[in-house]
Amino acid sequence: MPTSKPVMIIGGVVLAATLLGVASYATTRPSGPSSSPGAAAEVSADPSAGVYPELEAYARRDASDKLALGRADAPVVLIEYADFKCGYCGKFARDTEPELVKRYVDAGTLRIEWRNFPIFGEESEAAARASWAAGQQGRFWEFHKAAYAQGAKEKGFGKERLTALAKEAGVSDLARFTRDTDGAAARAAVGRDQEQGYSLGATSTPSFLVNGRPIAGAQPMEAFTEAIDAAAKAAAAKKSGPQSGPESGAKTGPESGR
């Protein structure tokens, strides 16, 4: 795992990284009385605050990205930093993500971009590379579904298990899958994802960005819908440009406060 320290591109990102790192740890630390996913909701679920435009640059919007869903020009991009051995990541994948796809991705409003962020050791790294390898044959999301199925992580992610998941995902060339999983390109791709997560300040999984707005942990559906709706509204307003006339809110004369 890379050990480089986070590098903040703009001073304002420091606060975002701090919020995301602290909240992310709070929601994914080992189980205890206060470790439920809702622990960070107060920090990350307010749609009117916590937006950092500088972080929108983290979205790649690459139409050829095999680890993404949705239009490259969708008004909202949700970036997910996750580990296949993370229980809360699995919860999000099973309980929340399919509804977001149905409600927003299919409507053209949302794009989901996956980032491999393995933090739980060698099997996490291997599963991340395997997911990338499955993606090279157009089966990343099928692999993602199989790896996050209920009880899947308890079976581990050894070499034979990863091959079984690839079969389940419909990967056609298993020999190529094995080569790609162990190859330099997979390691480099996972490394790039990791470095992006570290530069953001993510310390645990899952962590998210919604058009530059950090969300930590497998929050309730409402946290994501509020953030996506707010981002879509802001994107629409930005696209339409500033309004003129009495409805723009501009004031002149003695009532303008000047």
Side-chain angles (χ1 to χ4, degrees), residues 123 126-127 130 143 152 155-168 174 177-178 181-182:
E123 284 200 354
F143 184 95
K155 297 179 182 179
F157 293 112
K159 190 170 183 178
E160 291 184 1
R161 175 64 180 151
L162 291 173
T163 300
L165 289 171
K167 288 180 180 178
E168 185 178 344
L174 293 176
F177 168 80
T178 299
T181 296
D182 295 333

Side-chain angles (χ1 to χ4, degrees), residues 92-144:
F92 174 80
R94 293 188 299 271
D95 299 346
T96 305
E97 197 163 38
E99 183 61 28
L100 295 181
V101 171
K102 181 179 178 181
R103 188 181 303 188
Y104 295 107
V105 176
D106 291 347
T109 301
L110 179 69
R111 175 177 175 84
I112 298 176
E113 294 187 356
W114 171 270
R115 303 287 188 268
N116 275 303
F117 196 58
I119 60 174
F120 294 115
E122 292 183 6
E123 284 200 354
S124 290
E125 296 269 357
R129 296 195 307 272
S131 74
W132 182 88
Q136 302 318 292
Q137 298 187 50
R139 308 302 289 179
F140 169 78
W141 291 102
E142 291 79 6
F143 184 95
H144 172 278

